[in-house]
Amino acid sequence: YAVALSPDGRLVATDSQYKYGKNGDVECFIYVFDTVSGEIRNRIGPLPDLVRDLAFSPDGRFLAAGLFRQNGIRLWTKEANGSFGTSPSVGNGYGAGVFGLSFSPDGKRLATASMDGLVR
């Protein structure tokens, strides 16, 4: 449902769902690919819910994900080795899924739009 291209065009992030088990349980991940080699640079997750939007900050330092239902947002920081950490900052308190993310031009603020009718 979601894809984002880094500002320098070197990375692409996309969501993924993996069904397993007899009940069709789903695990959700974000994959970050190198756009030149096609190699997977990161596999982030499993996440608590489906991803509905992804966004890189203008400097490529942060990757944000808006999650379905009431699971809010997750924000990862790019580490020195070029990968995004496994311990995201978590933003909860949403009454519904987050379907829109946008960083300010300076990358210091993140706006979110939720189906609960609020822009944060």
Side-chain angles (χ1 to χ4, degrees):
Y1 294 102
V3 65
L5 186 64
S6 66
D8 64 6
R10 294 182 182 180
L11 300 174
V12 63
T14 184
D15 73 309
S16 153
Q17 301 171 37
Y18 172 71
K19 292 186 181 183
Y20 66 94
K22 293 179 182 177
N23 297 330
D25 294 329
V26 176
E27 282 191 330
C28 303
F29 295 90
I30 295 171
Y31 285 89
V32 181
F33 294 91
D34 182 294
T35 58
V36 175
S37 69
E39 293 180 21
I40 296 172
R41 298 280 296 276
N42 268 107
R43 178 180 181 228
I44 303 170
L47 301 170
D49 208 344
L50 303 171
V51 176
R52 288 297 184 229
D53 197 13
L54 290 166
F56 282 97
S57 62
D59 62 3
R61 186 172 167 222
F62 299 105
L63 175 63
L67 303 180
F68 191 54
R69 293 188 269 281
Q70 298 176 14
N71 285 298
I73 62 169
R74 301 296 184 270
L75 183 70
W76 293 270
T77 303
K78 194 173 196 180
E79 297 179 348
N81 65 4
S83 67
F84 289 91
T86 56
S87 300
S89 297
V90 177
N92 290 324
Y94 289 80
V98 175
F99 287 76
L101 301 166
S102 184
F103 281 92
S104 63
D106 63 7
K108 294 181 180 180
R109 293 174 301 252
L110 175 65
T112 65
S114 172
M115 291 298 288
D116 65 8
L118 299 176
V119 174
R120 294 170 176 86

